[in-house]
Amino acid sequence: MYRDLERRLVEHLREFLRRAYDLEIPNIVVEQPPKIEFGEYALPIAFELARRLRKAPRKIAEEIVAGVGAIPGFEKFEVAGAGYINVRVGRGELAAALAADGSPAAEVATGKVLVEHSSINPNKAAHIGHLRNAILGDTFVRLLCFAGREVDVQNYIDNTGVQVADVVVGFLHIEKKSRAHIEALAAAPRFDYVCWDLYARVSKWYEEDKANLQARAATLHSIEQGNNETAAIADLISVAVLRRHLETMDRLDIEYDFLPRESEILHLHFWDAAFTKLKEADVLTYENEGKNKGCWVMRRAGTAAAKPLTTGGAENTGENITEEKITEEDQKVIVRSNGTVGYVGKDIAYHMWKFGLLGRDFGYRKFYRYPNGHDCWISTTDGEKDHPHFGDVAEIYNVIDARQSEAQNTVIEALRGLGHGEAADRYTHFSYEMVALTPRCAAELGYTLSEEDKARSWIEVSGRKGFGVKADDLLDALIASAGKEVDARHPELSEAERAGIATQIAIGALRYFMLKFTKQSVIAFDFKDALSFEGDTGPYAQYAVVRASNIFRKGGFDPEGYGGDAASRVSTDDFASFLDGESSNDIWELWLAAAKTSYIVSQCIATTEPAYLAKHAFQLAQLFNTFYHRYPILGEADEGRKKFLLTTVAVVRRELIRVLAAMGITVPPVM
């Protein structure tokens, strides 16, 4: 409702500016006052117009307040200070609409949105850093769905890269395993853990003798070529590890629709088609000399374009000659001198397919079925005839860490160079920073720390060095820790019930912890901080919902039933009466926060920043807990006011559940 009222306010203000000043203002800023007693909205528009109208801001503000007229849902406009306009809404009307869960139908953008996230190399177990990517991506998918968008969720699988090649090298050259033996290992539980340890051993093997790197090069070449024993072993390993990744993410209720694999991008000649288009558009140039001799290169994203040169001298015809030479520092190698295409080149081809610009498609087959019956598809060279339509989308959000910014910008610039500027504008690199561990967390996980490590704020993890936290180990540890608390508080429950509650608390704690920090913050993960029932944590927000539900149970009401019929229990006039005046500002602040869910979701989408949603959940839980301690809801003697207070609980409970659901967090029956 808050967002809908803001839209209405902007529309009426824009119409007044046309009528009174003959001005078109495309972006009208609406702020939120610092204190609830100042109103619900603040308009600084008079300051923006002062120079154009050659009037004092306060004079303009007074003219706007006098001339804008009545706006449905709004009660009063007031000039404040040097020219601010504070706007007050009709509290009773907004509360009644919120209780009825009513809101005008919002305009939803057309076209499918593609969110690509996780993209874990299928060579070892997923780790804590991958969890941040997946949780950010999955939450953004949920936000888009909340806003009514159609979303495809994809997880790109680099099954022909150097990381997979290294594990193949480990099995064949270090452990001397046969294909049959590897297949038996892959069928066993947690094969991804076996690969985790082997991957670290291979890295040490390379360090011991640089000549061992020849095995990597030969293996990588065989994998890219395909149709040989080495490629078959690589496929066996990557598919087995991929299944483990999906099982791990399923524990967090994270699902995918399609798994495009790099092997099909190669074998279905996606790159060949893209390569031809890139050369024809002069996006790529061939180097005949220098350190990149024999390579196909493109201008590195962010470097200046070549400037036209004009021929000089007496015979100057005025003809412009473009200097096409790119300095070596500005070059990004797309195809190496040995003819192999780099990661960025394959990514360009893949993103052309995403936008429907390549003229080719994958084969598809079902790969993984989730407990809810949802099928996840995987790419293949040929496949099933009946399959969903993937690709050819309107917008792309690619969730990948900040270290890949240059590669992402190169893909965007390649699209522009091909003449697809609109597609480039609709491609967003959803960037984020890494996850580390606090020294306390690392010690709890069994790592031996030096005195220097213990003094650090955080410790960086490294899968290649074997130092890190496997995602499943982290989940197991969180569930076990939460389980101890649940066992102590609720011994009357069955073991299965306690285990289910502990899992909900642990998953909520992890997801909330990963989301409450802004994307560009380095996270130092800590068990104690994440699982705390106090402060800015998932369990704190969950507990607010449980507390609200308990109020209804103690009063003999069904929480869902009361919430579904809340609007009929209190009239608009009664809402206005109970929320009128400064003495009701604290309760009104709670109602206003509950009204902002859609507004916050829109803000999260516009800025690709889910942290705002976590902040909203915390604020709503905080305000509710203050309300809970201040007002004796079930003990209220006045029956009308008691209904109002219970309706307040019902609305806040409903909105908190929605907010947490958008974060991928469910609420247990007890805490």
Side-chain angles (χ1 to χ4, degrees):
M1 285 301 302
Y2 186 86
R3 181 180 60 167
D4 300 316
L5 283 172
E6 182 183 282
R7 287 173 177 166
R8 192 181 303 168
L9 173 63
V10 168
E11 288 171 4
H12 279 76
L13 182 57
R14 188 173 283 127
E15 172 58 30
F16 169 79
L17 296 176
R18 290 193 197 104
R19 186 175 68 249
Y21 305 123
D22 194 25
L23 290 177
E24 286 289 343
I25 308 296
N27 297 309
I28 294 177
V29 175
V30 180
E31 298 177 356
Q32 298 178 52
K35 295 182 179 180
I36 195 71
E37 49 264 36
F38 296 155
E40 289 71 40
Y41 303 96
L43 300 171
I45 184 70
F47 298 100
E48 181 183 341
L49 298 178
R51 180 173 295 180
R52 297 172 69 171
L53 298 178
R54 297 183 180 181
K55 294 181 181 180
R58 186 172 178 89
K59 176 64 175 176
I60 297 171
E62 290 170 349
E63 291 175 355
I64 292 173
V65 168
V68 71
I71 304 176
F74 290 88
E75 186 177 272
K76 188 185 296 183
F77 287 72
E78 301 170 330
V79 179
Y84 265 95
I85 301 173
N86 288 334
V87 185
R88 300 182 186 276
V89 304
R91 291 183 176 185
E93 187 177 341
L94 191 154
L98 186 59
D101 202 13
S103 181
E107 185 176 337
V108 179
T110 59
K112 189 185 294 185
V113 183
L114 191 159
V115 178
E116 179 192 333
H117 68 79
S118 301
S119 303
I120 310 167
N121 289 317
N123 70 318
K124 65 181 187 305
H127 58 62
I128 189 171
H130 297 133
L131 290 179
R132 186 178 196 187
N133 182 307
I135 290 169
L136 281 170
D138 179 67
T139 301
F140 198 69
V141 169
R142 293 169 185 268
L143 289 166
L144 289 167
C145 291
F146 188 104
R149 299 300 302 271
E150 181 185 3
V151 187
D152 261 357
V153 187
Q154 297 190 10
N155 178 1
Y156 181 79
I157 310 302
D158 182 3
N159 61 335
T160 67
V162 68
Q163 289 82 5
V164 172
D166 283 347
V167 177
V168 174
V169 167
F171 279 122
L172 297 182
H173 294 270
I174 297 178
E175 297 204 335
K176 310 295 183 183
K177 301 291 188 186
S178 66
R179 178 176 175 180
H181 197 165
I182 298 169
E183 192 166 0
L185 287 171
R190 294 200 166 178
F191 174 65
D192 52 340
Y193 278 42
V194 174
C195 294
W196 174 287
D197 295 334
L198 183 57
Y199 183 59
R201 287 172 57 199
V202 173
S203 297
K204 292 180 181 178
W205 188 63
Y206 291 148
E207 292 173 2
E208 291 167 1
D209 187 350
K210 297 300 181 184
N212 291 334
L213 287 167
Q214 295 176 10
R216 171 196 274 177
T219 301
L220 189 59
H221 180 73
S222 295
I223 293 172
E224 289 186 353
Q225 191 176 38
N227 297 316
N228 55 66
E229 182 72 2
T230 301
I233 291 172
D235 184 63
L236 167 66
I237 292 168
S238 64
V239 167
V241 172
L242 175 57
R243 285 191 183 278
R244 284 291 303 119
H245 289 169
L246 297 190
E247 290 167 0
T248 298
M249 295 305 169
D250 195 20
R251 297 179 70 183
L252 290 157
D253 197 24
I254 295 174
E255 298 181 355
Y256 310 93
D257 299 313
F258 178 48
L259 310 171
R261 295 189 295 179
E262 190 170 277
S263 53
E264 276 67 59
I265 288 177
L266 292 171
H267 300 150
L268 293 172
H269 306 291
F270 277 32
W271 167 245
D272 294 342
F275 193 25
T276 298
K277 293 177 183 290
L278 290 164
K279 288 187 290 186
E280 288 174 350
D282 292 326
V283 175
L284 298 184
T285 57
Y286 184 77
E287 280 299 293
N288 290 303
E289 57 186 23
K291 70 175 183 179
N292 293 329
K293 181 179 179 180
C295 300
W296 285 91
V297 303
M298 67 175 284
R299 184 178 301 281
R300 195 177 295 276
T303 60
K307 295 180 179 179
L309 301 179
T310 303
T311 57
E315 298 181 1
N316 181 10
T317 62
E319 179 184 1
N320 285 337
I321 302 174
T322 301
E323 173 60 69
E324 296 181 350
K325 184 67 177 177
I326 309 172
T327 65
E328 290 182 352
E329 291 74 19
D330 292 345
Q331 291 175 352
K332 178 70 176 177
V333 174
I334 304 300
V335 182
R336 307 179 190 97
S337 58
N338 63 3
T340 58
V341 58
Y343 160 76
V344 175
K346 287 174 279 191
D347 212 28
I348 292 170
Y350 173 40
H351 282 86
M352 291 174 67
W353 168 82
K354 286 181 179 180
F355 278 120
L357 304 173
L358 195 62
R360 293 178 183 268
D361 199 4
F362 293 104
Y364 302 90
R365 65 177 172 85
K366 292 176 184 175
F367 181 75
Y368 188 90
R369 173 159 287 187
Y370 293 97
N372 62 7
H374 176 68
D375 285 316
C376 177
W377 295 72
I378 196 169
S379 65
T380 183
T381 50
D382 59 6
E384 302 175 33
K385 292 182 179 179
D386 296 325
H387 59 81
H389 178 69
F390 298 108
D392 194 19
V393 299
E395 297 174 55
I396 295 171
Y397 292 89
N398 196 8
V399 185
I400 190 166
D401 73 56
R403 292 169 293 184
Q404 297 296 321
S405 292
E406 184 189 16
Q408 292 295 295
N409 289 335
T410 300
V411 174
I412 292 171
E413 290 310 308
L415 290 170
R416 293 195 193 282
L418 288 165
H420 303 301
E422 186 177 347
D425 291 340
R426 291 184 277 109
Y427 176 26
T428 301
H429 174 200
F430 191 117
S431 173
Y432 66 94
E433 280 293 346
M434 68 175 184
V435 182
L437 305 176
T438 63
R440 177 173 63 186
C441 182
E444 288 175 354
L445 288 163
Y447 289 105
T448 302
L449 305 179
S450 66
E451 291 303 316
E452 183 181 358
D453 287 336
K454 293 176 183 177
R456 292 177 178 173
S457 300
W458 46 267
I459 300 173
E460 187 174 356
V461 300
S462 172
R464 185 172 289 279
K465 295 178 181 178
F467 180 82
V469 183
K470 302 180 187 73
D472 281 307
D473 284 350
L474 177 62
L475 289 170
D476 291 343
L478 283 168
I479 291 170
S481 182
K484 292 177 183 178
E485 189 72 24
V486 175
D487 290 346
R489 293 186 182 208
H490 300 285
E492 77 283 0
L493 299 177
S494 70
E495 183 178 350
E497 287 175 317
R498 295 198 306 273
I501 292 168
T503 299
Q504 285 180 286
I505 293 172
I507 299 302
L510 176 61
R511 292 192 66 125
Y512 191 98
F513 193 89
M514 291 293 187
L515 292 169
K516 74 175 183 176
F517 299 95
T518 57
K519 296 178 304 176
Q520 302 312 317
S521 302
V522 173
I523 294 179
F525 186 81
D526 187 271
F527 286 108
K528 185 176 180 180
D529 291 345
L531 282 170
S532 174
F533 278 49
E534 299 299 326
D536 191 7
T537 67
Y540 179 77
Q542 288 172 313
Y543 188 59
V545 179
V546 171
R547 176 172 272 171
S549 299
N550 286 339
I551 292 172
F552 289 107
R553 293 193 183 100
K554 288 177 182 177
F557 305 107
D558 171 55
E560 298 298 334
Y562 197 101
D565 197 32
S568 65
R569 302 174 191 274
V570 184
S571 69
T572 301
D573 288 342
D574 284 341
F575 273 126
S577 174
F578 290 128
L579 291 168
D580 184 48
E582 290 188 10
S583 61
S584 299
N585 277 350
D586 58 338
I587 299 182
W588 174 239
E589 190 173 8
L590 177 59
W591 274 88
L592 188 61
K596 290 182 180 179
T597 299
S598 293
Y599 173 82
I600 299 297
V601 168
S602 297
Q603 185 182 31
C604 291
I605 294 172
T607 59
T608 62
E609 184 53 89
Y612 296 129
L613 194 64
K615 182 179 180 181
H616 178 56
F618 179 51
Q619 181 189 27
L620 203 49
Q622 254 189 330
L623 289 170
F624 174 75
N625 284 329
T626 299
F627 164 82
Y628 172 85
H629 289 296
R630 186 171 293 172
Y631 296 95
I633 300 163
L634 295 176
E636 173 59 53
D638 183 287
E639 190 61 29
R641 183 168 174 80
K642 180 179 178 180
K643 288 181 179 179
F644 163 70
L645 294 175
L646 282 169
T647 300
T648 302
V649 176
V651 168
V652 174
R653 177 182 177 275
R654 181 193 71 204
E655 292 306 308
L656 257 177
I657 290 172
R658 284 178 176 171
V659 171
L660 291 173
M663 298 172 70
I665 299 171
T666 58
V667 180
V670 297
M671 292 283 281

